[in-house]
Amino acid sequence: MTDFSRRNFLKAVGIGGAASLASLGCAANGTATASRSARVIVVGGGSGGATAAKYLKRFSPDMDVTLIEPNATYYTCYGSNWVLGGNAEMDDIAQSYDALQSRHGVKVVQDTVMEIDPAGRTVTTSAGEAMNYDRLVMSPGIDFRYDAVPGITEADSERIPHAWKAGEQTRLLRQQLEAMPDGGIFVMVAPGNPFRCPPGPYERASMVAHYFQQEKPRSKIIILDNKEAFSKQGLFMEGWAQHYGDMIEWVASSRGGQVEEIDAANLRTISDGGFTEFKADVLNYIPPQTAGKIAKQTGLAGDGFWCPVNQLTFESTIHPGIYVIGDSSVAGAMPKSGHSANNQAKVAAAAIVRDLAGLEPLAPSTANTCYSLITPDHAISVAAVYAYQDGTIGGVEGAGGVSPMDAPASVRRQEALYTKGWYDGITADIWG
Ligand SMILES: Cc1cc2nc3c(=O)[nH]c(=O)nc-3n(C[C@H](O)[C@H](O)[C@H](O)COP(=O)(O)OP(=O)(O)OC[C@H]3O[C@@H](n4cnc5c(N)ncnc54)[C@H](O)[C@@H]3O)c2cc1C
């Protein structure tokens, strides 16, 4: 993987670390200008945005970096399934912006970006403040396509949580699971590809099963899936059979898993042209997804759901000067994950600093790792390395891999320890 340490980066960049507009020799309008620090605004303080803000300052300490994020506390989606399983608390997945401000010199503005003018290079927040930028980084995560299935609207998420953005939704789903009687049915509706965190629904089913096994062992979990196969499927199914017997039932798209309608008032799903119905005690509908609302609204997704970028730099192919990273972007073979967003942020930060210094971008090498808990002591993982080639980010053959099938309990236990280590490492890299 690319070595992003500041010393090596600055050596590669060949500058003193300060990206000033004077180094370009002229202002945007072509006139000579006195030196001023370049101003980069980052929209969204999640996995991608917080990393980008921090690494822009590390690569270029004099740069004026402002991070705009509405929430004072960010709850990681990673670990939110552990909260649902009763083996972590909300505080365990809470991240603050203190270190970004005090240790790294990022200006953090607690607000929502309402409008972006790509031609005038301004961002306007809900407080009505208009801010100019030289470069903009967007990492607004995902939005939901509640229009995909009739019978359910976004307002229903207050009773039928998606819990696909962590925080209040995680709390709500946990409360519903706690209130559910023993012998109840938990129905999860899983989206088709692509979506945030490919193994996420199946880790969720595992963690809920872990909770049910201890507190309500007669209960059942049904996963209605909008696809025919899923990430780490063999390993999940092996673990489910080993630990939970027949508590979890997975229904493939072609076998009734593709939900065609939801009777939200009665927590009922309808598929197979009306031949298959499930009545849930707790319904977890995870809708199909799209790039974050502000990215769509700015036209960064064009006519599609996700934002196309130059995969060498993550600069939008639609609006120059705007870099889209994380779940909102189209990033070749990289899955929509926190690990991916963190890596992409560093690529974009490096590309911006080089661009401001008048240098060509470097070809990035990136990675993704995803651990999933089946029980608190049984984890599985998938890892991949990616390289930029022929205009796209592709997987490097022979690098990475998945956990072996039929591994002894000691291996699964070891991976459960790595899971926690991964969480501590990545959150320290992003917000620490
Ligand atoms: C259940 C679950 C488990 C997961 N587990 C893992 C895992 O184990 N490993 C892993 O790598 N990934 C995991 N993920 C995926 C990971 O959480 C996301 O892929 C990652 O957070 C994406 O980063 P992002 O920066 O694109 O979006 P986010 O992290 O969602 O950040 C987006 C931020 O933008 C802000 N924002 C949105 N609109 C605006 C606006 N208009 N103005 C200002 N700010 C705005 C939001 O408030 C938010 O803070 C999991 C996801 C889920 C749902």
Side-chain angles (χ1 to χ4, degrees):
M1 184 178 158
T2 300
D3 181 352
F4 281 110
S5 76
R6 181 166 179 258
R7 196 162 49 86
N8 284 337
F9 176 78
L10 295 179
K11 211 162 61 184
V13 169
I15 57 174
S20 80
L21 289 190
S23 64
L24 293 176
C26 61
N29 63 8
T31 57
T33 150
S35 176
R36 77 163 169 88
S37 294
R39 183 173 216 199
V40 181
I41 294 180
V42 181
V43 180
S47 310
T51 308
K54 173 174 166 178
Y55 276 79
L56 280 163
K57 285 299 282 185
R58 285 187 69 174
F59 294 162
S60 182
D62 292 341
M63 187 181 269
D64 180 349
V65 179
T66 302
L67 174 69
I68 309 176
E69 159 66 44
N71 302 304
T73 301
Y74 175 89
Y75 291 95
T76 59
C77 284
Y78 18 109
S80 65
N81 286 331
W82 316 339
V83 173
L84 297 176
N87 46 306
E89 299 295 328
M90 288 301 285
D91 280 352
D92 298 328
I93 59 167
Q95 305 296 334
S96 95
Y97 296 99
D98 293 350
L100 284 184
Q101 299 186 81
S102 61
R103 199 175 301 157
H104 303 290
V106 174
K107 292 175 191 157
V108 179
V109 174
Q110 198 185 327
D111 207 340
T112 302
V113 172
M114 302 304 284
E115 207 180 325
I116 293 165
D117 173 2
R121 299 208 169 191
T122 57
V123 156
T124 306
T125 66
S126 71
E129 196 185 345
M131 299 181 217
N132 297 311
Y133 63 82
D134 298 303
R135 299 289 184 277
L136 184 67
V137 179
M138 304 271 296
S139 196
I142 53 162
D143 197 14
F144 298 109
R145 289 163 49 205
Y146 269 98
D147 58 355
V149 172
I152 185 161
T153 67
E154 188 155 12
D156 291 314
S157 66
E158 286 173 24
R159 271 188 330 108
I160 302 174
H162 50 74
W164 221 241
K165 292 184 185 181
E168 276 318 305
Q169 283 276 306
T170 316
R171 279 198 189 91
L172 178 61
L173 184 52
R174 174 67 189 163
Q175 281 161 7
Q176 292 186 353
L177 292 167
E178 282 173 337
M180 193 188 92
D182 188 11
I185 300 179
F186 170 60
V187 177
M188 182 201 300
V189 180
N193 296 319
F195 65 104
R196 160 178 284 185
C197 195
Y202 317 98
E203 184 192 55
R204 173 167 296 176
S206 308
M207 288 293 89
V208 172
H210 169 70
Y211 167 64
F212 283 172
Q213 195 176 52
Q214 293 169 67
E215 304 289 337
K216 3 198 123 163
R218 293 189 299 112
S219 306
K220 188 104 183 119
I221 298 169
I222 313 276
I223 308 169
L224 299 175
D225 216 325
N226 211 350
K227 48 194 172 301
E228 290 299 297
F230 62 88
S231 171
K232 295 183 269 188
Q233 183 165 348
L235 287 160
F236 271 113
M237 289 192 155
E238 179 191 70
W240 292 345
Q242 194 179 334
H243 297 289
Y244 305 123
D246 60 0
M247 183 183 273
I248 302 174
E249 186 184 338
W250 176 71
V251 186
S253 167
S254 60
R255 319 203 84 190
Q258 186 171 350
V259 172
E260 290 150 0
E261 194 182 335
I262 292 179
D263 170 6
N266 297 303
L267 306 187
R268 215 160 46 94
T269 64
I270 300 150
S271 42
D272 249 354
F275 285 107
T276 307
E277 285 193 15
F278 286 97
K279 164 85 182 80
D281 291 286
V282 175
L283 180 57
N284 175 209
Y285 174 59
I286 306 167
Q289 295 151 31
T290 168
K293 196 175 279 172
I294 187 69
K296 290 270 294 164
Q297 180 193 310
T298 310
L300 288 157
D303 295 332
F305 293 125
W306 308 102
C307 306
V309 294
N310 172 348
Q311 292 179 23
L312 186 59
T313 60
F314 284 85
E315 185 171 12
S316 164
T317 52
I318 295 176
H319 290 311
I322 301 183
Y323 293 69
V324 187
I325 56 172
D327 291 350
S328 282
S329 67
V330 177
M334 295 186 85
K336 298 189 184 300
S337 76
H339 200 117
S340 293
N342 166 265
N343 273 224
Q344 293 160 6
K346 294 172 187 176
V347 172
I352 288 170
V353 173
R354 285 183 69 87
D355 184 35
L356 290 168
L359 297 168
E360 290 297 313
L362 298 168
S365 173
T366 50
N368 179 60
T369 309
C370 192
Y371 289 96
S372 304
L373 287 184
I374 290 179
T375 76
D377 293 318
H378 178 143
I380 54 175
S381 66
V382 58
V385 178
Y386 305 92
Y388 177 81
Q389 233 176 9
D390 302 328
T392 184
I393 298 171
V396 173
E397 223 169 287
V402 290
S403 308
M405 292 287 288
D406 298 320
S410 57
V411 170
R412 306 298 190 214
R413 222 176 0 259
Q414 201 64 33
E415 289 225 71
L417 289 175
Y418 296 158
T419 305
K420 183 71 177 57
W422 174 86
Y423 184 92
D424 292 344
I426 197 126
T427 51
D429 189 40
I430 298 173
W431 293 278

